[in-house]
Structures are given as structure tokens and as C-alpha cells.
Amino acid sequence: MSEKKYDSETLERLQEILRMMLADFDKICEDNDIDYFLVGGSLLGAIRHNGMIPWDDDIDIGMTGKDYDKFIQIMKKRESDKYTLISSETNKEFPYLRSAGFMLNGTKFIKDISIMDETSSSIVVDIIAFDNLADGKLKSISQGLQTFFYGKSAFLTTLNNPTNHRKGISKIVTTVMIKTLHGLFKLFKVTPHFFINKGNKIATKYNILETGRVMYMNESKPFLVTIKKKNLFPIKKIPFDGLMISVPNNPEQYLLERYGDYKTLPPESEQYNHFPDVLDFGEYKNLRRREQ
């Protein structure tokens, strides 16, 4: 989160660019018979605001593991001057397990200028895989903990000072652990790809089977976001700022489990976004809100 704030015109322009990107993404998925669904703050906005949360500045999209892998392969073959897909499958330095970025070429969105690189430098729609979670208790715990370890280890190979929202002694201990691990990885020249490979095998292990739940395997805490398939399917379309966008079949249950009382607006002091160090709209600087 950032203490800096957007002015209203800049935020509105960024949100309209994200809506354009979401519409283009939806068209690619429709043309290739790929299902997706809004998650996180984007789903919260769709249900509570019928579109983007007024202060939000990103789009979060989920796919089942099978559709995620299909989308990656299609984008690798697809020639586009407008978009680039960044993922561990397209870039071995990309440190995010089962995650991808649908990046708008010719733009800049750099959250932290001190860690600028090609994996985080454009306006982007975030795409995450919800892979099948094992049904057995011990198997699901093993799968979740292993992927959490590999995902966070991959991230720490590239970044030694990630945002740490803990407080007091807990923050100090966590910071020391992070810097120590990063130093060891750097000393032994461990790359993100080493951990991503191992994590991918565990994350996708049950995708050929029928299980009752799916989970994003690279959340900030293990088992933070799981969805019962009966609440996910069949995926449906609902209005979203003048678009018709896909969401889980029972979005209210997802939001209740994820956020608790999701219908009540947070106080202004808790209306977070990701104000960047560098923001450049490129050729889209004059993009205007479409008619609804």
C-alpha cells in the first residue's frame, strides 16, 4: 500500500485503461473458449459497485489451472503489438508462481523505482491460476504448504526488501529472515526458475483429477483463497462498468469467506491502492470513458 494518493483525473484515466484491457482480455478468452472469473478486489467491486472500486487501480483475474495453461500457450503464439504476457513460462526471471501479467505495451507502471525490471514495468492485468486442491486433508495440507514455500522462495531470490506490514518484534524478525534468505540465494546463485519449477509440479499435481476445491497456490498466507467448485461453476457474466464480465457462480460466498463483511465500505484511511513511483499512459493518455 502507498501513502501517496492519485488525483481524480489520473485515477480515472488509469481505470479506463484497465477497463479497455479487461474488454480486450475478455475477447481473447471468448475467441479461444477459455473461462476466467474476477477475484479479489475486482470481484468485490463488481458486486458492491457494479464495476471497479472507486479508489482501486488494478484488475485481478482468476482461471482454473487448465484454462490458465491454455491461455499461456495461446498468448505465447499470438502476435500482438498491443500486449505482452509475462509469466514464468515466458521469462525464467519472473518470480511469481502460477501467476501472469497481461501487460499493455508502451505504458509504464513502476511501483518501486529501486526494483524496476521488465516483470513489473507496465500497466498490467494480474492473472492467477486456481489449481485443483487435493481432497484428502493431509494431501491438501502438504500441497498447500509446499507451494507456499516454493512460491515465496522464488520471490525472495529477486527481492530482499519486500513490503512488510508486520509490527514490532515480528517485523524485525521477519525482515532479518528475508534478508538472510535473499543473501544465501544470491551467494549460491539460486534463480526463481529453480523454485518455480518445483512449485509448478506440486501446484498442478491434481489438475488431471476431479477435486472439490481449487486454490491459488501463491497467496500471502497458505490456504487464504480456496473456492469450492460448486460455488465457482457454472461461471456467469454480470455487468461491470458497461461491460459484461465473468464471475464465479456464487460470488457472495467467495467474498464472505475472503473479506467477511464485504458490503460495508472501509474508512477512507483503509482505502488502499498501489500508487506507483512512475506512471506513463503512453499513447492512451487521452483515452476517454466509454458510453454505458
Side-chain angles (χ1 to χ4, degrees), residues 25-44:
F25 174 86
D26 176 80
K27 181 65 165 57
I28 293 171
C29 290
E30 182 177 334
D31 289 345
N32 291 280
D33 194 27
I34 294 174
D35 282 329
Y36 72 91
F37 45 94
L38 295 182
V39 291
S42 297
L43 181 58
L44 176 58

Side-chain angles (χ1 to χ4, degrees), residues 28 32 34 67-81 83-92 98-102 127 193 197 200:
I28 293 171
N32 291 280
I34 294 174
D67 280 318
Y68 175 87
D69 291 334
K70 182 178 179 180
F71 181 78
I72 295 293
Q73 293 307 312
I74 287 172
M75 289 300 296
K76 284 172 70 174
K77 299 174 183 176
R78 187 174 184 268
E79 294 184 4
S80 173
D81 293 330
Y83 294 107
T84 296
L85 189 77
I86 185 74
S87 71
S88 60
E89 291 82 6
T90 63
N91 186 326
K92 291 187 177 182
R98 301 299 284 162
S99 311
F102 185 67
I127 306 166
H193 190 63
N197 259 352
N200 277 339

Side-chain angles (χ1 to χ4, degrees), residues 160-161 164-180:
N160 72 338
N161 192 31
N164 185 352
H165 299 305
R166 297 174 184 267
K167 297 180 179 179
I169 190 67
S170 177
K171 181 172 184 177
I172 295 172
V173 171
T174 304
T175 299
V176 171
M177 289 177 60
I178 288 171
K179 289 184 175 294
T180 300

Side-chain angles (χ1 to χ4, degrees), residues 94-113:
F94 190 74
Y96 303 101
L97 178 67
R98 301 299 284 162
S99 311
F102 185 67
M103 303 197 306
L104 183 61
N105 296 335
T107 64
K108 292 181 181 178
F109 189 100
I110 303 169
K111 295 179 184 179
D112 187 342
I113 193 67

Side-chain angles (χ1 to χ4, degrees), residues 62 129 171 223 238 289:
K171 181 172 184 177
F223 308 102
I238 65 171
R289 185 75 180 266

